[in-house]
Amino acid sequence: MRWKEQLLRLTPYQPGRSIDAVKKQFNLEKIVKLASNENPFGCSTGVITALQTNPSSLAIYPDGYATHLREKLAGFLGINEEELILGNGSDNLIQIISRSLLHPNASTIMATPSFSQYKHNAIIEGAVIKELALINGEHDLDEMLAAIDEQTNVIWVCSPNNPTGTYIPENKLIPFLEKVPPHILVVLDEAYYEYVVAEDYYDSINLTRKYENLIVLRTFSKIYGMAGLRVGYGVANRTIIKALEPAREPFNVNSLGQLAAIAAINDQEFVEVCKEKNRQGLTQFYDFCEQNQLDYYPSQTNFILIDFKIDGDKVFQYLLEKGFIVRSGKALGFPTAVRVTVGSFEENVGVLQALSDFLKEN
Ligand SMILES: Cc1ncc(COP(=O)(O)O)c(C=O)c1O
């Protein structure tokens, strides 16, 4: 078969190791998964109740327009319903944007290391990819601007950035947006938005009003604890949404996901509690790093990238055998680091104890 040549160069997304696989391999009873930046506190009880009590016929296609969820989200964000696009996770929105704007005669700009799916989708579309190295874990916005050429169609900005957890302050983002030519789409991926506490963070939804080439991506997979239900959304002006909609699969957000997301929005107290516990959890990690003189990036997310100055796979493997699944920095562009999702207080104590043991033994 005559596959797209670029597909032969790609490997499928490597997910964090599954709990069952690790249990079996190391004959462990308990596994703590801190690999995929999921919410250790699950989701709101309101979500569970909604799923249990609302009859949703599985034989019937979902509402392709996600009417009720759209209404709810628009009200919650203070925007018009036409300024929203729903996705089967924000991954799906990255795919829709790539499909709509990238092709072999287009170029696209992104930071590196950053979230892998920008590059992955750009490769599939055959676009020219320009990756600009992070500086101290942060996007080099000046270099990203300098990389713009005649063919540039999309610039990806991940804030807070995965895998560093760093964010772009308002006083750096605005001058950048001012300089991007209006025909280039800026994608601001805010998968971890709800975890941000930095006071100089910008109001991105408002920015979509001012910058007509900006789309903001968010998700119910992280603080809302619904990664398994796959719901994400994009906010932009109507013209962008209208252009993207034909590239969206008609039934991309499933019925249960729509139902659950409405219930999730209704429970902002849950979000606040998770945000607070996450801050406390991050402090546990910061204290550990300070005590052991390990470099890390202060995080605005629910994960932390810690540099152990040795092969990240070695740390990963040690933790795996102790029942903690994390991500080795090796696959993420930081070969001597590991990325750990902030867990519950007890989970954090456990993984930090294992890391202390590792440091003693090495
Ligand atoms: C920066 C970033 N964007 C997007 C996603 C995709 O999230 P989802 O497809 O679950 O909404 C992730 C998931 O880890 C992420 O870290």
Side-chain angles (χ1 to χ4, degrees):
M1 260 162 254
R2 298 180 210 173
W3 300 108
K4 277 184 171 179
E5 175 273 327
Q6 57 268 35
L7 278 182
L8 308 175
R9 286 187 279 133
L10 285 173
T11 46
Y13 174 75
Q14 299 290 320
R17 295 284 298 274
S18 87
I19 291 182
D20 284 345
V22 175
K23 255 188 188 167
K24 215 167 155 189
Q25 185 182 357
F26 298 107
N27 206 10
L28 292 163
E29 258 176 31
K30 189 170 162 255
I31 300 288
V32 177
K33 183 166 179 263
L34 302 172
S36 304
N37 310 333
E38 293 140 338
N39 187 340
F41 309 107
C43 62
S44 157
T45 50
V47 168
I48 308 289
T49 309
L51 291 176
Q52 284 169 343
T53 54
N54 280 283
S56 172
S57 172
L58 298 182
I60 293 177
Y61 283 106
D63 171 2
Y65 193 64
T67 312
H68 297 303
L69 172 56
R70 183 179 295 273
E71 210 175 274
K72 184 85 212 171
L73 255 179
F76 177 64
L77 299 169
I79 58 170
N80 294 310
E81 292 175 20
E82 302 79 32
E83 292 171 319
L84 268 174
I85 183 166
L86 278 297
N88 184 30
S90 48
D91 276 341
N92 181 216
L93 296 166
I94 295 169
Q95 188 183 31
I96 291 170
I97 292 165
S98 303
R99 196 168 177 198
S100 307
L101 284 163
L102 299 184
H103 50 77
N105 293 321
S107 76
T108 184
I109 295 169
M110 61 195 72
T112 184
S114 190
F115 186 53
S116 60
Q117 291 305 294
Y118 317 140
K119 184 174 181 182
H120 189 92
N121 281 283
I123 292 175
I124 293 177
E125 301 305 335
V128 175
I129 297 166
K130 298 189 172 186
E131 295 181 275
L132 287 305
L134 299 175
I135 299 182
N136 292 328
E138 293 175 15
H139 282 52
D140 187 344
L141 295 176
D142 290 336
E143 282 302 312
M144 291 175 80
L145 283 172
I148 293 174
D149 62 28
E150 286 287 304
Q151 295 176 312
T152 305
N153 277 359
V154 183
I155 304 180
W156 306 89
V157 177
C158 191
S159 175
N161 187 45
N162 182 0
T164 48
T166 47
Y167 74 107
I168 300 172
E170 182 171 25
N171 65 6
K172 287 191 179 161
L173 185 71
I174 305 284
F176 167 79
L177 291 174
E178 285 289 333
K179 288 180 199 137
V180 177
H183 67 277
I184 298 175
L185 183 69
V186 177
V187 182
L188 187 56
D189 185 346
E190 292 192 319
Y192 301 93
Y193 162 77
E194 296 84 0
Y195 285 109
V196 173
V197 295
E199 281 176 7
D200 53 354
Y201 197 69
Y202 41 80
D203 177 352
S204 56
I205 302 296
N206 242 335
L207 292 178
T208 62
R209 294 264 149 74
K210 180 155 187 217
Y211 300 99
E212 297 198 342
N213 57 339
L214 176 67
I215 185 164
V216 172
L217 305 187
R218 292 191 187 161
T219 181
F220 285 89
S221 298
K222 303 300 174 184
I223 212 165
Y224 286 104
M226 288 173 29
L229 282 166
R230 315 301 303 127
V231 187
Y233 62 93
V235 178
N237 71 71
R238 294 161 207 247
T239 317
I240 293 177
I241 300 296
K242 211 170 153 205
L244 290 173
E245 272 291 322
R248 181 179 68 78
E249 294 161 51
F251 305 111
N252 62 336
V253 183
N254 71 75
S255 316
L256 297 179
Q258 293 185 28
L259 207 64
I262 294 171
I265 296 169
N266 281 337
D267 191 355
Q268 289 302 311
E269 201 186 319
F270 173 79
V271 174
E272 281 309 311
V273 169
C274 293
K275 183 176 180 177
E276 178 51 31
K277 285 189 185 163
N278 183 65
R279 276 339 285 175
Q280 292 167 4
L282 275 170
T283 313
Q284 292 173 271
F285 284 90
Y286 293 162
D287 289 347
F288 169 82
C289 291
E290 309 289 347
Q291 280 158 17
N292 293 285
Q293 283 148 26
L294 296 168
D295 290 340
Y296 64 95
Y297 292 114
S299 174
Q300 293 292 324
T301 64
N302 66 337
F303 59 83
I304 181 166
L305 187 75
I306 307 174
D307 190 359
F308 287 86
K309 302 265 187 301
I310 58 163
D311 188 338
D313 281 357
K314 221 174 141 185
V315 187
F316 164 81
Q317 192 61 30
Y318 182 91
L319 291 178
L320 195 65
E321 289 170 25
K322 302 273 183 257
F324 296 96
I325 314 178
V326 300
R327 270 327 269 274
S328 166
K330 229 171 177 178
L332 303 173
F334 288 93
T336 60
V338 292
R339 191 193 69 192
V340 188
T341 302
V342 177
S344 65
F345 177 80
E346 296 75 22
E347 288 170 342
N348 300 336
V349 168
V351 76
L352 291 173
Q353 182 56 53
L355 282 169
S356 288
D357 296 343
F358 173 82
L359 292 174
K360 275 186 211 122
E361 290 170 33
N362 290 268

